[in-house]
């Protein structure tokens, strides 16, 4: 499953790079911009962010300021970690469920120019949070490993 | 209710909840308690990412990752060495100058620290610099990364405020150059006082040329990007795509160091970083909606404008607010949650939104260097293997040029706006 | 009842004044039983979010171009179509929810399919073409990159002008005009003045190709939860305000022409050689080709002259 996700994500990212590039070539070299290219690019971004989210949860790369927690005594840290994972799981499940319900309400909704149906990116959103929930659930049963506790929050 | 939400967010955040859940949990609670349609959750989260400018975020992250993997970084460092290695401070100057070149392709501060920073710190240690000083130079020079174009924080700022991103990117150039010059001056003074090593002689033009050639494709990337935007050939997002394709091509065809494994790794790292950042953008937009309905930004605007309507005083207030925000929040979260509250009254009072953007982002970048939540500090201290205390102590003199730069960009708006003025 | 009224208009725009004044007057007209809280400047989200918010009921009321509702009923965009109105008054008649058969027919479908009802309109001025060279006929625009609002109706219209439709975000529009990514755009004169496009554009062709009328719409469940008296009071306020907005726009247009002339812009009108008929013919032909479903509605609208 992780492998599939990775391939989908990589394909999305490649499209995200190539599409605007192609648009530049079409407009500046051939003088005819592709109608709807921006819409498709935005749409791909939405899908990319959500579909890659389970990978973020899996590798523990969510942006977090863990400094206070790291300074707590081991037992407190353990219980707080459990609470965080539990509530994170809850939030993911909630969003996933609401999104799933939303898909049926939005079956006829589509983007204005290319008429890309909404269910595709709502589906991506569902995959993102459902996948996130799965990996949070795994964390719940496999409590933090020693190296987890001193990984610093890193964001770009 | 609005204030309770903010307090709840801060509490979860400080306790070590991932930022995205620190935002989502109070928001979900609000939607449920207020009996709002649950569809609001999904709607806000997905629409927030429906933004063409934000597409530039993964593209510039990708460029930064690829440069670190495909040998571009080493060449930049070697070229900088031939240019400024003789200046008092030696490798410290090289370190600072490399950051400027690197920042012309990378849009994030921590990409600089994580990739280039490693090379810089190791080289400095080998040549006899003490580790805390090397770490301090690296951390402070990384600040220019998101000031000099390209810049992910400026793109996020532009997309939140609907300010022209091209203008924001151009506005960053002069402040970044000032900051680099002041940092180099500081390093030179410290080096002379403490008698630090430097190159024995200036490099010959031939040597400079020899190092320039390999670095040239990297040096051309920002030129290509800025010229293309100025000539109307592409938008900032397209500039990011062009740069990405360009970097893939030069690292594959010119440097021949790009392997499929590199590309694959760069893509996966990019995807995770992108998702980790933009999922916060998504969650923050839900939170922002709730704050707007609760009239928090509106009330705050009125409050600020009752304090003063003098742009200078308002800019000082903005400095204070964003300096503090930067101490506690990461730059994306701070931009998303604080800017929509603070920027409208400032702009209404006559502050140029492009100028304000540079002031805001510079403050937030300083936040990377200040405890308690200074991301750059943590990364650099772990790379250089120095304690936070040692690093902070070594950083003290470098806060001076950084704060002087902040003062200059706050008060000399003409300087900041000189380049954007060209295309107004 | 308490209504959240969202729109994307900025400070100083007529639509912002419209919403603020309408809110106060609705409160007065209903004796304080219906209060309206206005959220201008995209505070509650962009256009698409606002429309979906009104459908969903997280936002009760909003206004924007008719075409923004096309995601519910595509044909509603016909009220934005170029060259379907002879003048502003005609546009206001054709978009009157109480009397226009075309609007009523489409309103039924909006209510049925999206739970959204149009209850008023705002006149925001005629749209004209600005450029950095003189335009007298579609031939002058042939093959040149013009900014098109990224909606198919606009793309179709700009194609009808003969130009190459090129999408540009509003926030980048002045820069794109300055750098030459696009050589022209079309908007009401208020927008040209407010965004200082006169600094990057030399000419305005007074095509008046579109009458910019915005639809004021409300969530149907919310509307049905109001008493008939309240509904009548709100409609009355919005109707009076619509007439006022027409007056604001017409008064300001003449002043704006003078102001922009003073700032060095050159205006092309039918008197000095603007070939309006050529524009009308080309654009209507393109619209007819791209939107065959508009046909009957366009006939209905044109018959209301
Ligand atoms: Na940069
Ligand atoms: Na550096």
């Amino acid at each position: 499953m992780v492998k599939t996700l990775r391939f989908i994500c990589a394909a999305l990212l490649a499209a995200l790079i190539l599409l605007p590039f192609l648009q530049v070539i079409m407009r500046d070299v051939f003088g005819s911009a592709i109608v709807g290219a921006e819409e498709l690019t935005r749409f791909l971004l939405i899908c990319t962010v959500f579909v890659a989210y389970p990978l973020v949860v899996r590798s523990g790369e969510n942006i977090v300021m863990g400094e206070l927690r790291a300074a707590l005594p081991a037992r407190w840290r353990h219980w707080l970690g459990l609470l965080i994972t539990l509530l994170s799981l809850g939030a993911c499940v909630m969003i996933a469920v609401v999104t799933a319900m939303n898909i049926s309400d939005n079956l006829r909704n589509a983007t204005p120019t290319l008429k890309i149906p909404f269910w595709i990116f709502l589906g991506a959103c569902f995959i993102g949070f459902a996948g996130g929930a799965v990996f949070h659930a795994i964390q719940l049963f496999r409590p933090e490993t020693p190296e987890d506790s001193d990984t610093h929050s890193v964001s770009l | 209710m609005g204030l309770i939400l903010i307090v709840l967010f801060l509490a979860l955040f400080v306790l070590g909840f991932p930022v995205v859940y620190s935002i989502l949990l109070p928001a979900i609670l609000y939607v449920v308690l207020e009996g709002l349609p649950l569809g609001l959750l999904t709607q806000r989260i997905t629409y927030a990412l429906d933004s063409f400018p934000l597409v530039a975020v993964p593209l510039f992250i990708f460029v930064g990752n690829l440069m670190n993997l495909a040998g571009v970084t080493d060449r930049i460092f070697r070229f900088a060495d031939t240019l400024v290695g003789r200046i008092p401070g030696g490798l410290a100057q090289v370190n600072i100058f490399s950051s400027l070149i690197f920042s012309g392709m990378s849009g994030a501060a921590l990409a600089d620290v994580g990739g280039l920073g490693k090379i810089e710190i190791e080289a400095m240690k080998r040549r006899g610099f003490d580790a805390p000083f090397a770490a301090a130079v690296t951390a402070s020079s990384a600040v220019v990364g998101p000031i000099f174009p390209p810049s992910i924080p400026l793109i996020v700022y532009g997309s939140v405020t609907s300010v022209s991103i091209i203008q924001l990117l151009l506005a960053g150039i002069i402040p970044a150059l000032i900051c680099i010059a002041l940092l180099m001056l500081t390093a030179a003074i410290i080096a002379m006082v403490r008698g630090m090593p430097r190159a024995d002689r200036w490099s010959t033009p031939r040597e400079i040329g020899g190092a320039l050639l390999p670095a040239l494709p990297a040096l051309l990337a920002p030129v290509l990007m800025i010229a293309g935007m100025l000539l109307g050939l592409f938008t900032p997002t397209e500039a990011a795509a062009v740069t990405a394709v360009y970097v893939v091509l030069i690292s594959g065809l010119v440097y021949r160091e790009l392997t499929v494994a590199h590309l694959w790794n760069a893509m996966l790292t990019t995807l995770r970083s992108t998702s980790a950042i933009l999922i916060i953008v998504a969650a923050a937009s839900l939170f922002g909606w709730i704050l707007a309905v609760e009239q928090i930004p509106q009330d705050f605007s009125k409050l600020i404008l009752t304090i003063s309507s003098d742009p200078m005083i308002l800019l000082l207030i903005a400095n204070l607010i964003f300096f503090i925000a930067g101490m506690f929040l990461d730059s994306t979260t701070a931009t998303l949650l604080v800017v929509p509250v603070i920027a409208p009254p400032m702009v209404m009072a006559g502050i140029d939104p492009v100028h304000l953007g540079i002031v805001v982002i510079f403050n937030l970048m300083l936040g990377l260097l200040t405890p308690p939540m200074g991301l750059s500090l943590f990364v650099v201290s772990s790379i250089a293997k120095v304690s936070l205390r040692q690093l902070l102590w070594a950083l003290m003199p470098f806060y001076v040029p950084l704060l002087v730069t902040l003062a200059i960009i706050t008060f000399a708006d003409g300087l900041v706006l000189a380049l954007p003025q060209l295309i107004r | 009842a308490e209504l959240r009224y969202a729109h994307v208009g900025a400070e100083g725009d007529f639509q912002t004044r419209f919403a603020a004044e309408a809110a106060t007057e609705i409160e007065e007209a209903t004796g304080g039983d219906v209060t309206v809280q206005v959220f201008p400047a995209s505070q509650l989200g962009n256009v698409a979010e606002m429309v979906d918010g009104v459908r969903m009921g997280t936002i009760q009321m909003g206004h924007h171009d008719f075409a923004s509702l096309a995601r519910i009923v595509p044909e509603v965009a016909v009220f934005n179509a170029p060259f379907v109105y002879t003048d502003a008054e005609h546009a206001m008649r054709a978009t009157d929810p109480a009397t226009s058969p075309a609007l009523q027919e489409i309103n039924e479908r909006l209510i049925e399919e999206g739970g959204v009802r149009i209850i008023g309109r705002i006149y925001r001025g005629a749209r004209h073409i600005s450029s950095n060279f003189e335009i007298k006929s579609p031939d002058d625009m042939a093959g040149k990159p013009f900014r098109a609002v990224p909606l198919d109706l606009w793309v179709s219209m700009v194609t009808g002008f003969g130009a190459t439709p090129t999408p540009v975000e509003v926030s980048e529009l002045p820069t794109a005009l300055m750098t030459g990514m696009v050589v022209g755009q079309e908007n009401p004169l208020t927008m040209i003045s407010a965004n200082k496009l006169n600094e990057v554009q030399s000419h305005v062709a007074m095509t008046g190709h579109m009458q910019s009328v915005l639809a004021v719409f409300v969530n149907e469940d919310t509307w049905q939860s109001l008493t008939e008296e309240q509904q009548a009071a709100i409609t009355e306020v919005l109707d009076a305000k619509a007439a006022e907005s027409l007056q604001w726009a017409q008064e300001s247009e003449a002043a704006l022409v003078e102001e922009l002339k003073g700032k060095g812009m050159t205006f092309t009108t039918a008197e000095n050689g603007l070939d309006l008929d050529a524009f009308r013919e080309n654009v209507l032909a393109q619209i007819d080709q791209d939107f065959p479903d508009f046909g009957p509605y366009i006939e209905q609208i044109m018959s209301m002259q």
Side-chain angles (χ1 to χ4, degrees), chain B residues 95-96 99 112 120 138 141:
Chain B
N95 183 329
I96 297 168
S99 284
D112 177 321
E120 292 168 341
T138 305
S141 59

Side-chain angles (χ1 to χ4, degrees), chain C residues 42-224:
Chain C
S42 312
Q43 280 172 5
L44 298 189
N46 64 24
V47 174
E49 284 169 277
M50 177 185 75
V51 173
D52 272 7
V54 174
R55 287 175 71 177
M56 218 189 310
T58 50
I59 299 167
Q60 285 76 35
M61 214 176 148
H63 72 240
H64 201 66
D65 281 319
F66 281 86
S68 64
L69 298 171
R71 52 210 283 121
I72 306 171
V73 174
E75 288 77 25
V76 67
V78 74
F79 295 104
N80 269 127
F83 295 116
V84 294
Y85 307 117
T86 45
D87 54 22
E89 285 77 12
H90 177 204
M92 293 307 269
R93 273 197 303 280
T95 52
D96 188 336
T99 54
S100 163
L103 191 101
Q104 284 168 343
E105 200 178 315
I106 284 178
N107 218 357
E108 287 300 315
R109 291 179 56 196
L110 283 170
I111 295 163
E112 176 74 19
E113 293 166 39
V116 172
R117 173 191 289 265
I118 296 175
I119 53 170
R121 66 246 193 259
I122 306 172
Y123 184 74
R124 207 173 153 241
R127 293 173 82 101
H128 305 290
I129 298 173
S130 79
S131 54
N132 47 25
F133 55 93
E134 183 164 66
I135 294 175
K136 288 194 162 160
S137 78
D139 296 340
D140 299 324
M141 299 172 72
K144 299 209 167 92
F146 267 72
R147 188 250 181 174
V149 177
L151 288 172
D152 39 14
L153 180 64
W154 264 265
V155 172
S156 175
M157 179 181 74
V158 175
T159 312
F161 286 156
T164 306
T166 306
V168 175
E169 306 257 336
V170 182
S171 57
E172 299 292 354
L173 184 54
T175 313
L177 289 167
M178 175 71 202
T179 60
M181 171 174 273
V182 287
V183 296
Q185 59 91 41
E186 51 80 48
N187 255 307
L189 293 184
T190 44
M191 188 279 179
I192 294 174
S193 160
N195 288 278
K196 300 196 179 85
L197 296 189
N198 52 292
E199 290 172 8
V200 289
Q201 299 270 270
S202 55
H203 286 72
V204 177
M206 295 290 277
T207 46
H209 51 274
M210 276 182 179
Q211 297 292 337
S212 185
V213 188
L214 311 183
V216 182
F217 43 85
V218 68
N219 175 282
E220 176 66 6
D221 293 340
T222 306
W223 185 249
Q224 294 308 339

Side-chain angles (χ1 to χ4, degrees), chain B residues 77 91-100 102 112-113 116-117 120 134 137-144 180:
Chain B
F77 188 73
L91 280 188
Q93 306 292 0
V94 177
N95 183 329
I96 297 168
F97 197 72
S98 304
S99 284
L100 177 65
F102 187 88
D112 177 321
V113 172
L116 182 62
E120 292 168 341
V137 172
T138 305
S140 56
S141 59
V143 165
V144 298
I180 289 291

Side-chain angles (χ1 to χ4, degrees), chain A residues 28 42 53 61 136 155, chain B residues 21 50 110 233 238 272 275:
Chain A
D28 295 339
R42 295 195 316 257
Y53 187 61
E61 283 182 63
H136 281 308
S155 74
Chain B
Y21 303 120
D50 185 17
L110 294 190
L233 293 178
E238 290 164 354
R272 292 198 303 267
S275 184

Side-chain angles (χ1 to χ4, degrees), chain B residues 279-292:
Chain B
I279 205 84
I280 294 178
V281 172
S285 114
L286 176 61
F287 204 79
W289 192 93
I290 295 171
L291 292 187

Side-chain angles (χ1 to χ4, degrees), chain A residues 6-7 9-10 13-14 16-17 20-21 23-24 27-28 38 41-42 45-46 48-50 52-53 55-56 59 61-65 67-69 80 84 87-88 91-92 94-95 98-99 102 118 121-122 125 129 136 152-156, chain B residues 13-21 24-25 28 32 38-39 41-42 45-47 49-52 54-55 58-59 61-62 108 110-111 233-234 238 241-242 244-245 264 267-268 271-273 275-280 330 372-373 375 378:
Chain A
R6 278 186 182 153
F7 272 108
C9 289
L13 179 62
L16 218 44
I17 296 169
F21 182 73
Q23 176 75 318
V24 172
R27 193 184 50 229
D28 295 339
E38 285 71 20
T41 313
R42 295 195 316 257
L45 178 73
I46 301 176
T48 310
V49 171
F50 289 128
Y53 187 61
L55 301 176
V56 175
S59 55
E61 283 182 63
N62 248 323
I63 296 173
V64 57
M65 297 293 176
E67 321 316 319
L68 179 88
R69 204 187 132 210
L80 182 57
I84 291 174
L87 287 179
S88 302
C92 280
M94 177 80 181
I95 303 282
V98 170
T99 306
N102 233 280
F118 270 33
F121 64 72
L122 289 175
C125 181
F129 283 96
H136 281 308
H152 276 299
S153 38
V154 172
S155 74
L156 280 164
Chain B
F13 180 84
V14 169
L15 280 174
F17 277 71
V19 178
V20 57
Y21 303 120
L24 275 182
L25 286 166
I28 292 173
V32 171
L38 293 177
L41 299 173
T42 309
I45 287 173
T46 47
Y47 273 120
L49 301 174
D50 185 17
S51 148
F52 193 59
L54 286 183
V55 174
L59 304 189
I61 294 178
F62 176 68
L110 294 190
L233 293 178
F234 29 78
E238 290 164 354
V242 171
V245 172
W264 180 246
M267 286 179 93
L268 285 183
L271 284 161
R272 292 198 303 267
S273 306
S275 184
I277 293 176
L278 293 187
I279 205 84
I280 294 178
D330 72 281
M373 306 289 186
L375 283 181
F378 308 141

